Amino acid sequence: MASNSLKRDLLTILNSNQIRTGEIDRRLYSYDSSFLATRNSFIPDAVVFPHATHEVAAILKYASAQSIPVVPRGAGTGETGGCLACRGGIVLDLSPWNNVDEVDTSNMQAFVRPGVVHARFNRQLSDHGLFFPPDPGSSQMCTLGGMIANNSSGLRAVKYGTTENYVLGLRIVLASGEVITTGGVNSRAIKNVSGLNLTKLFVGSEGTLGVITRARLRLWPKPAAKGLVMATFRRLEDAPPVVQEVYRAGIMPSGVEILDGTAIRAVNMYRPETALPEVEAILLFEVDGSPPAVEWEGHQISNVAVKAGGKAEWSTDPQRMADLWRGRSLVAAAAARIRPDGTRIFAGEDISIPLDKVAQALREVHRLSAHYGITVVSFGHIGDGNIHTAPVIDIDSPEEVERADALVDAIHRLAIELNGSTTGEHGVGLVRSGYAAIEHGAALQAMQKIKHALDPQNIMNPGKIWP
Amino acid sequence: MASNSLKRDLLTILNSNQIRTGEIDRRLYSYDSSFLATRNSFIPDAVVFPHATHEVAAILKYASAQSIPVVPRGAGTGETGGCLACRGGIVLDLSPWNNVDEVDTSNMQAFVRPGVVHARFNRQLSDHGLFFPPDPGSSQMCTLGGMIANNSSGLRAVKYGTTENYVLGLRIVLASGEVITTGGVNSRAIKNVSGLNLTKLFVGSEGTLGVITRARLRLWPKPAAKGLVMATFRRLEDAPPVVQEVYRAGIMPSGVEILDGTAIRAVNMYRPETALPEVEAILLFEVDGSPPAVEWEGHQISNVAVKAGGKAEWSTDPQRMADLWRGRSLVAAAAARIRPDGTRIFAGEDISIPLDKVAQALREVHRLSAHYGITVVSFGHIGDGNIHTAPVIDIDSPEEVERADALVDAIHRLAIELNGSTTGEHGVGLVRSGYAAIEHGAALQAMQKIKHALDPQNIMNPGKIWP
């Protein structure tokens, strides 16, 4: 649409410093962290910076009347194109709206605005002996609004669950501009089974149902102690049964991570001094809780690993734990450097696999990697089967990009075939909408009915989730 | 509708032994555990016993075509009239459909049919070292289908969360007769953020959106040890800060229960040999985990309680723990016997209050109890603020019933006023739909839009949730 008339209309709602329509400004909002964004340019017609619910409401009411797409955006750290204006329209940059309105320590909850950065939030909570358990890798940048919209998680999800477990209520502007509060208008209750669970419906809805302008989050007491076990296995197939055996011992670690052979090689190439053992699998078990619990669980896990033929070391010393974590911490950066002309692309990178098929999935990914001649570095949250399979390619080679596309498609289909999902925590956005029909079958139409009921003109983040 | 033609139609779908239309048979389905059900008779036109998804689908397709209400029912242990055919129609008794199709121990999940009884399920899981954490008081009778439909919980919710945290996917028959599978058609993944979260929308929807015919549930490793702290406080107001202080110590007990003075007196009258101290509050902290964790946490909690002026005893001995639990175990039965002509009614019995207002709420309930001249026995899950305030009345006195109605209304309004909810775990059903508008405001219309999108003729459990 004509940028000038849009700007004029928006000026009736917002101040001029809350609106950007210049080309360079708009181009800055044409990408996120997805591989897709490096190959396409989705330039919005306008970018606005609302910082009140009534402003968002006025924008949505206007956009509904004019059938203009509206795309909510946090820090742009997403890997699916979820915050891109693939059909033009207005991007709502919610990242500057970053107040923590209140930390209610008595009731272990907080009221936050969408732009609060995850790591900053947890630093603030730390002073109160509390924490917000979901822990995405992009913690230093990503916003709580984005985490809620994507139902983000990270390595602690195995014990603590995903973002949805910690959202007690949301203030939401619907497509019509109407404002609702889910979880009870003035509620500070932890438990509430009154009415349909709109809160959890909106968590993970990727901005397709409305705009989150405030969230009531449940907090958790910070555990008194942590420990870390590193266990190495010559054969990949020996690792998953050890995870299962740890669970059978009644232990639920706060993180269970894997580096497979590809990830180990990547880290050793990137930082030779790390000197990870050249095995097929390294498992890292983080345990948390009271000091004696951590002690007991660390020993038990080490014993289980050794009994299964692995080697294990464990520690509660912060320095040594940081050393043992190093491989895992470096792997994302290391993957990008595995070849001089290589770039780690965010595509096919987030499969979720039942635990008893993780080894098979990783073997298959190795086979696909060889077949397509593209390195894939695999690591991630084996505890709940959510593996990051990161292709590394020369993005300037169209031929290689084409092969990568085929590889990514094969990885996604493999995940579904192994009773898994194409996405454990990163979301669908633009890049995985083609698999929604296979994953969900007839349920996809039920989702569409709900979408249509709440956003009949399809202005909220159109083109995402559904093909 | 004419019973004969309904029966004839149903016989085209089901065998005759799956259909009941006789008056006595239908009367058996005219009540649940709610007080409401003792004063009204909601007799369905037919009761059917489907035991296949395609049978449920055929019934719903027929009911949609004829605009006949359909009411799913489990064990009938609900306390809200949620499973009653308040507008006639067909009751689906799903309780005989009680197969555990599979326990997938490798992936810590189970596939169950709606009629599986909770306690039986956990006994079966115990052999695998696993458990299903939600733990309603009606465990010996209630069905998993009913628990999912109501998002049930119980005393362990404080640590483990409610039923919704353990539902990975559902097979659902929609009002149209269409069958969908949420959480991924063939998925056994633990983490999955693909698409709208229909699973969690259906959990707690009280049968208003469709019929659950199969559920994929997440299981948890059984903790190796348990311990119990009993702490007594002369002043009610001293109890909630102790709960907060325990959380601040980084401890999340698996249960935090309270008996207030009314509950203590009820238990001592009912079983004098229990000899509970006549104080204003007794707290019970259950902790679970590894043996040393339980040991450490039990000591810490005792110390916190004593420092706050309470008396504390704690144990890991099963016999002594059973003794300490006795008061809590007996309180539901004891409440009914607090006066010879008394009946504990299930009305106004499930408020959820922010922890920092629980003492105030209980004082207010005492005041209301005195004002209306009706005994209220109060106890429950103080850890998450979910208190059971149980009125005890002579149900044969119309005058007393009238006062009870006024008291129950006042308790519900009090809960909302104190930033709580009218229901923490029992649900809305028929009995609390009048408060939905106050609790949810404009969000209620959004819920209605979703309901209408999935059930345009309002055949699924009509008259529930919405006023």
Side-chain angles (χ1 to χ4, degrees):
Chain A
M1 82 178 290
S3 188
N4 279 343
S5 75
L6 176 60
K7 187 172 185 179
R8 200 178 48 234
D9 291 343
L10 289 171
L11 274 168
T12 66
I13 300 169
L14 301 167
N15 293 323
S16 60
N17 61 5
Q18 293 176 283
I19 305 167
R20 303 273 161 81
T21 53
E23 194 184 333
I24 293 172
D25 285 323
R26 292 185 291 116
R27 272 192 189 279
L28 288 173
Y29 288 84
S30 67
Y31 59 87
D32 64 354
S33 302
S34 65
F35 180 45
L36 178 93
T38 66
R39 305 154 74 188
N40 297 274
S41 196
F42 301 115
I43 302 175
D45 298 305
V47 180
V48 298
F49 306 86
H51 39 65
T53 299
H54 70 87
E55 290 177 350
V56 176
I59 295 163
L60 265 60
K61 200 173 168 184
Y62 162 73
S64 261
Q66 305 285 325
S67 289
I68 300 171
V70 175
V71 183
R73 182 184 173 102
T77 55
E79 287 139 2
T80 68
C83 66
L84 300 183
C86 58
R87 299 186 188 173
I90 303 166
V91 164
L92 306 186
D93 183 352
L94 299 162
S95 63
W97 194 1
N98 61 1
N99 319 48
V100 175
D101 285 352
E102 183 187 346
V103 179
D104 178 353
T105 56
S106 298
N107 297 307
M108 298 214 295
Q109 49 200 271
F111 295 81
V112 301
R113 298 300 181 171
V116 175
V117 169
H118 177 261
R120 199 199 104 201
F121 184 49
N122 262 334
R123 278 196 298 275
Q124 182 172 345
L125 295 177
S126 187
D127 302 338
H128 304 287
L130 296 168
F131 80 122
F132 176 67
D135 59 335
S138 53
S139 169
Q140 298 296 329
M141 294 174 283
C142 73
T143 64
L144 296 175
M147 288 184 65
I148 296 166
N150 288 290
N151 192 14
S152 301
S153 43
L155 68 85
R156 284 197 208 107
V158 62
K159 173 173 181 173
Y160 289 101
T162 62
T163 295
E164 66 174 16
N165 292 16
Y166 299 90
V167 186
L168 295 170
L170 293 171
R171 187 163 303 159
I172 289 160
V173 184
L174 298 173
S176 61
E178 201 180 6
V179 179
I180 64 171
T181 303
T182 70
V185 176
N186 291 308
S187 179
R188 294 190 178 215
I190 296 286
K191 274 169 78 174
N192 180 347
V193 291
S194 171
L196 296 184
N197 201 340
L198 293 184
T199 305
K200 302 298 159 78
L201 176 67
F202 278 91
V203 175
S205 63
E206 301 192 12
T208 63
L209 301 181
V211 181
I212 298 161
T213 64
R214 195 174 196 233
R216 180 162 70 97
L217 301 177
R218 189 177 186 185
L219 310 174
W220 211 248
K222 251 183 104 168
K226 282 189 184 197
L228 190 68
V229 181
M230 178 168 151
T232 62
F233 301 90
R234 301 194 71 79
R235 279 181 66 241
L236 172 61
E237 282 71 12
D238 293 341
V242 168
V243 179
Q244 292 168 341
E245 195 58 31
V246 165
Y247 296 152
R248 267 194 285 273
I251 298 171
M252 189 46 94
S254 52
V256 189
E257 296 290 297
I258 188 169
L259 301 181
D260 90 347
T262 59
I264 294 165
R265 278 191 297 281
V267 170
N268 284 340
M269 277 177 64
Y270 178 53
R271 290 273 195 276
E273 67 275 21
T274 314
L276 294 176
E278 297 274 350
V279 291
E280 282 194 352
I282 294 177
L283 292 181
L284 293 156
F285 294 86
E286 187 194 71
V287 291
D288 68 3
S290 62
V294 163
E295 201 73 26
W296 188 85
E297 293 182 354
H299 275 296
Q300 294 277 320
I301 294 171
S302 300
N303 290 345
V304 169
V306 169
K307 226 181 258 177
K311 291 183 181 173
E313 178 186 347
W314 93 278
S315 178
T316 54
D317 173 62
Q319 186 52 53
R320 188 62 195 142
M321 287 200 289
D323 287 346
L324 296 177
W325 263 128
R326 189 138 300 136
R328 176 66 183 87
S329 312
L330 288 172
V331 69
R337 312 288 175 86
I338 203 163
R339 47 186 269 200
D341 59 352
T343 298
R344 175 193 173 184
I345 59 168
F346 284 94
E349 84 295 345
D350 185 41
I351 56 174
S352 183
I353 303 288
L355 185 49
D356 65 347
K357 291 184 177 169
V358 164
Q360 184 188 347
L362 289 171
R363 290 281 182 214
E364 285 289 316
V365 169
H366 297 170
R367 200 184 57 74
L368 292 169
S369 165
H371 178 77
Y372 289 100
I374 289 174
T375 304
V376 179
V377 178
S378 297
F379 58 95
H381 321 309
I382 188 176
D384 46 32
N386 185 195
I387 307 293
H388 297 313
T389 41
V392 181
I393 67 169
D394 174 3
I395 57 173
D396 294 326
S397 158
E399 183 273 330
E400 205 167 321
V401 166
E402 202 173 300
R403 272 188 285 131
D405 286 340
L407 166 70
V408 164
D409 180 57
I411 290 174
H412 282 149
R413 288 178 194 280
L414 171 70
I416 297 170
E417 199 182 303
L418 294 179
N419 308 111
S421 171
T422 57
T423 178
E425 59 186 20
H426 292 171
V428 175
L430 280 171
V431 301
R432 284 185 263 269
S433 62
Y435 305 97
I438 321 175
E439 285 206 41
H440 300 295
L444 197 64
Q445 281 79 56
M447 294 178 198
Q448 263 161 331
K449 282 181 187 166
I450 292 168
K451 162 75 172 171
H452 187 73
L454 296 180
D455 179 17
Q457 278 153 292
N458 193 25
I459 66 158
M460 285 310 312
N461 210 6
K464 314 300 163 63
I465 296 187
W466 292 275
Chain B
M1 84 177 289
S3 187
N4 278 344
S5 75
L6 176 60
K7 187 172 183 180
R8 201 178 46 235
D9 292 343
L10 288 171
L11 274 168
T12 65
I13 301 168
L14 301 167
N15 293 323
S16 60
N17 61 4
Q18 293 177 282
I19 306 167
R20 302 272 162 83
T21 53
E23 195 185 331
I24 292 172
D25 284 323
R26 291 185 290 116
R27 273 193 189 279
L28 288 173
Y29 288 84
S30 68
Y31 60 88
D32 64 355
S33 302
S34 65
F35 180 46
L36 177 93
T38 65
R39 304 154 73 188
N40 297 273
S41 195
F42 300 115
I43 301 175
D45 297 306
V47 180
V48 298
F49 306 87
H51 40 64
T53 298
H54 70 85
E55 290 176 350
V56 175
I59 296 164
L60 265 61
K61 201 172 168 187
Y62 162 72
S64 261
Q66 305 285 325
S67 288
I68 300 171
V70 175
V71 183
R73 181 185 174 101
T77 54
E79 286 139 2
T80 69
C83 67
L84 301 184
C86 59
R87 299 185 189 174
I90 303 166
V91 164
L92 306 186
D93 182 350
L94 300 162
S95 64
W97 194 1
N98 62 1
N99 320 47
V100 175
D101 285 352
E102 183 187 347
V103 178
D104 178 353
T105 55
S106 299
N107 297 306
M108 297 213 296
Q109 49 199 270
F111 295 82
V112 301
R113 298 301 180 169
V116 175
V117 169
H118 176 262
R120 199 199 104 200
F121 184 49
N122 262 334
R123 278 196 297 276
Q124 181 171 348
L125 296 176
S126 187
D127 302 338
H128 303 287
L130 297 168
F131 79 122
F132 177 68
D135 59 335
S138 52
S139 168
Q140 297 297 332
M141 293 174 284
C142 73
T143 64
L144 296 175
M147 288 183 65
I148 295 165
N150 287 290
N151 192 12
S152 301
S153 43
L155 66 86
R156 286 199 206 104
V158 62
K159 174 172 180 175
Y160 289 100
T162 62
T163 296
E164 68 176 14
N165 292 17
Y166 298 89
V167 185
L168 295 170
L170 293 171
R171 185 161 305 157
I172 289 161
V173 184
L174 297 173
S176 61
E178 202 181 4
V179 180
I180 63 171
T181 302
T182 70
V185 176
N186 291 308
S187 179
R188 295 192 178 213
I190 295 286
K191 274 168 78 174
N192 180 346
V193 292
S194 170
L196 296 184
N197 200 340
L198 293 185
T199 305
K200 302 298 159 81
L201 175 67
F202 278 91
V203 175
S205 63
E206 302 192 12
T208 64
L209 301 181
V211 180
I212 299 161
T213 63
R214 196 173 195 235
R216 180 163 70 97
L217 301 177
R218 188 175 187 188
L219 310 174
W220 212 248
K222 251 184 103 166
K226 283 192 181 193
L228 190 67
V229 181
M230 177 169 153
T232 62
F233 302 89
R234 301 195 71 81
R235 278 181 66 242
L236 173 61
E237 282 70 13
D238 293 340
V242 168
V243 179
Q244 292 169 341
E245 195 59 30
V246 166
Y247 296 151
R248 269 193 284 273
I251 297 171
M252 190 46 94
S254 51
V256 190
E257 296 290 297
I258 188 170
L259 301 181
D260 90 347
T262 59
I264 294 165
R265 276 192 297 283
V267 170
N268 283 341
M269 277 177 64
Y270 178 53
R271 290 272 195 273
E273 67 276 20
T274 314
L276 294 177
E278 296 273 349
V279 290
E280 282 193 353
I282 295 176
L283 292 181
L284 292 157
F285 294 87
E286 187 195 70
V287 291
D288 70 2
S290 63
V294 162
E295 201 74 27
W296 187 86
E297 293 183 352
H299 274 296
Q300 295 276 321
I301 294 170
S302 300
N303 290 345
V304 169
V306 169
K307 226 182 256 175
K311 291 184 181 172
E313 178 186 345
W314 93 278
S315 178
T316 54
D317 172 62
Q319 186 51 53
R320 187 64 194 142
M321 288 200 289
D323 288 345
L324 295 177
W325 262 128
R326 189 137 302 137
R328 177 66 182 87
S329 310
L330 288 172
V331 69
R337 311 288 175 87
I338 203 164
R339 50 186 266 201
D341 58 352
T343 298
R344 176 194 171 183
I345 59 169
F346 283 94
E349 85 295 347
D350 185 41
I351 58 175
S352 184
I353 304 288
L355 186 50
D356 66 346
K357 291 184 176 169
V358 164
Q360 184 187 346
L362 288 172
R363 289 281 183 214
E364 284 289 318
V365 169
H366 297 169
R367 199 184 58 71
L368 292 170
S369 166
H371 178 76
Y372 289 101
I374 288 174
T375 305
V376 179
V377 178
S378 296
F379 59 94
H381 320 310
I382 188 176
D384 47 32
N386 186 194
I387 307 294
H388 298 313
T389 41
V392 181
I393 67 169
D394 174 2
I395 57 172
D396 294 326
S397 159
E399 183 274 330
E400 205 167 320
V401 166
E402 201 172 301
R403 273 188 284 131
D405 286 341
L407 166 69
V408 164
D409 180 58
I411 290 174
H412 282 149
R413 288 179 193 280
L414 171 70
I416 298 170
E417 198 182 302
L418 294 179
N419 308 112
S421 172
T422 57
T423 178
E425 58 186 20
H426 293 172
V428 176
L430 280 171
V431 301
R432 283 185 265 268
S433 61
Y435 305 96
I438 321 174
E439 284 205 43
H440 300 295
L444 197 64
Q445 280 79 56
M447 294 177 199
Q448 263 162 333
K449 281 181 187 166
I450 291 167
K451 161 75 172 172
H452 187 73
L454 296 180
D455 178 17
Q457 279 154 290
N458 194 23
I459 65 157
M460 284 311 312
N461 210 5
K464 314 300 163 63
I465 296 187
W466 292 275

